[in-house]
Amino acid sequence: MQINGRSSICGLIGNPVEHTLSPMIHNTLAEKLGHNLVYVPFLVEKESLKEAVTGAYALHIQGMNITVPYKSTVIEMLSEIDALAGKIGAVNTLVRTQNGYKGYNTDMTGLYRAMGAENIRLAGERVILLGAGGAARAVAFMCVHYGAEKVYLLNRTLEKAKTVAAEVNVALQTDAVTALRTEDYWTLQGNSYLAIQGTNVGLYPNTEETVITEEDFYRKIDTGYDLIYRPEKTMFMRLVEKAGGKAYNGLRMLLYQALEAYELWNRAEISEELAAEIYELLKKEMNTDE
Ligand code: NAP
């Protein structure tokens, strides 16, 4: 790629940023689509976040991804926020406008699209969501936003699950989200649940761990979706499959949040063929060839 006076710059703000796969995804997209765009990681310290966002705007940076730990704190530095991202209270994508940056949450629209690519529907579903941290909170919003009938939020710390459930129910004017202590999963009636694993238990290198080990839990699950993508097949996924369900990891979520950001920055539409091509590159990059 030839960087020249017309190149537009996009990037990632976070801390740490050294293990990010985003530059690989975005620079490959730019190359494949023939866009004169370059994407770079920016390590930003907490006390410099405001300066970094103001400086990025002054430097005419077209778009930014925002990652841990700034997805919520960056909101006060925006000129505008997308409605769903505003309700979630977290943004991962900034798009340059005439007055400043507008914030979006493509983690969630990306997860929704990633699920769609696997024919997983949310409308009318009963969802078990493991975890009540930043990711699970956003997933709870997304599930209700896209029409899930019920979301059972299971967490080790019940108080956190209760707080998240109340926040989602109030913001979306619903009573769809119910908080439970993880070990009370057995109170859930019936089976055919969509279960989304949103804790960091099972993340590499702790690949033999999962929050619930009992087989009767996994018999309730029709489809399991782990937000973790390292390892490629988590213990949660293995147990879902052992009980006869289908299981997916979070790599497509990672891919689609990036594709959605790229589309917002470039007013482009990325074909499913190109998405599939990048997905294969991502798997190779992670040494996870299936
Ligand atoms: P977080 O805010 O730190 O939340 C961690 C959650 O895990 C909390 O609910 C916590 O429960 C629970 N937890 C941690 N250790 C536990 C243990 N030993 N036993 C039981 N529960 C435990 O983390 P996050 O930002 O939400 O991220 C969660 C996961 O999502 C990470 O693995 C991350 O890699 C993944 N993720 C993937 C993508 C993607 O693109 N695929 C995007 C975002 C996040 P307590 O409340 O009881 O502490």
Side-chain angles (χ1 to χ4, degrees):
M1 192 195 316
Q2 188 68 49
I3 298 174
N4 59 26
R6 293 182 194 280
S7 299
S8 73
I9 315 288
C10 290
L12 169 73
I13 286 179
N15 188 2
V17 291
E18 60 259 40
H19 298 298
T20 176
L21 292 164
S22 294
M24 185 278 235
I25 301 176
H26 290 288
N27 290 319
T28 307
L29 281 170
E31 198 184 315
K32 301 255 178 208
L33 293 166
H35 290 160
N36 189 350
L37 178 150
V38 61
Y39 182 103
V40 280
F42 296 106
L43 174 69
V44 173
E45 306 294 344
K46 190 168 67 186
E47 56 281 7
S48 309
L49 181 62
K50 191 159 198 251
E51 277 173 282
V53 174
T54 309
Y57 193 77
L59 291 168
H60 278 259
I61 288 181
Q62 183 63 22
M64 279 286 181
N65 280 135
I66 305 293
T67 190
V68 177
Y70 303 131
K71 289 184 185 185
S72 296
T73 43
V74 78
I75 289 176
E76 63 186 62
M77 293 147 207
L78 305 177
S79 60
E80 214 181 323
I81 187 162
D82 165 74
L84 176 61
K87 282 179 186 157
I88 294 171
V91 306
N92 76 317
T93 299
L94 311 189
V95 178
R96 186 181 185 80
T97 72
Q98 293 235 308
N99 312 312
Y101 287 113
K102 178 172 178 180
Y104 293 83
N105 190 312
T106 73
D107 281 332
M108 289 310 116
T109 51
L111 173 59
Y112 181 66
R113 197 158 142 192
M115 287 182 150
E118 314 280 13
N119 282 322
I120 303 169
R121 302 275 162 250
L122 280 170
E125 288 296 315
R126 292 177 311 148
V127 179
I128 296 173
L129 178 52
L130 299 175
R137 183 177 175 282
V139 172
F141 268 101
M142 185 206 63
C143 288
V144 177
H145 180 80
Y146 288 111
E149 183 190 311
K150 280 296 299 178
V151 178
Y152 296 99
L153 195 61
L154 273 58
N155 198 41
R156 173 179 63 180
T157 314
L158 180 63
E159 281 315 306
K160 268 204 214 163
K162 280 186 173 167
T163 304
V164 172
E167 280 172 0
V168 180
N169 285 337
V170 169
L172 299 182
Q173 298 180 342
T174 177
D175 58 0
V177 188
T178 301
L180 281 176
R181 213 183 301 273
T182 308
E183 58 267 34
D184 291 338
Y185 72 82
W186 59 271
T187 61
L188 297 175
Q189 300 293 310
N191 46 24
S192 300
Y193 285 89
L194 164 63
I196 303 174
Q197 202 302 110
T199 76
N200 31 32
V201 181
L203 188 63
Y204 180 85
N206 303 312
T207 54
E208 298 306 304
E209 294 179 6
T210 185
V211 276
I212 301 176
T213 51
E214 288 83 350
E215 274 182 33
D216 61 335
F217 171 69
Y218 293 92
R219 282 197 289 270
K220 294 179 185 293
I221 300 171
D222 179 68
T223 303
Y225 202 103
D226 203 326
L227 300 193
I228 293 174
Y229 50 83
R230 227 185 231 117
E232 179 191 8
K233 193 165 275 189
T234 62
M235 178 56 95
F236 169 80
M237 292 168 65
R238 280 185 269 157
L239 291 172
V240 168
E241 286 178 350
K242 193 172 164 212
K246 291 185 291 295
Y248 304 90
N249 69 25
L251 193 60
R252 270 189 209 281
M253 172 183 177
L254 177 77
L255 170 69
Y256 280 100
Q257 63 75 27
L259 300 190
E260 296 243 323
Y262 192 95
E263 289 178 339
L264 286 168
W265 296 329
N266 297 291
R267 299 208 174 100
E269 209 172 295
I270 294 162
S271 68
E272 284 309 310
E273 288 73 28
L274 182 52
E277 209 179 310
I278 308 279
Y279 185 64
E280 291 308 315
L281 291 174
L282 254 183
K283 284 203 292 187
K284 272 210 193 96
E285 183 76 15
M286 295 195 34
N287 246 339
T288 60
D289 253 338
E290 277 170 350

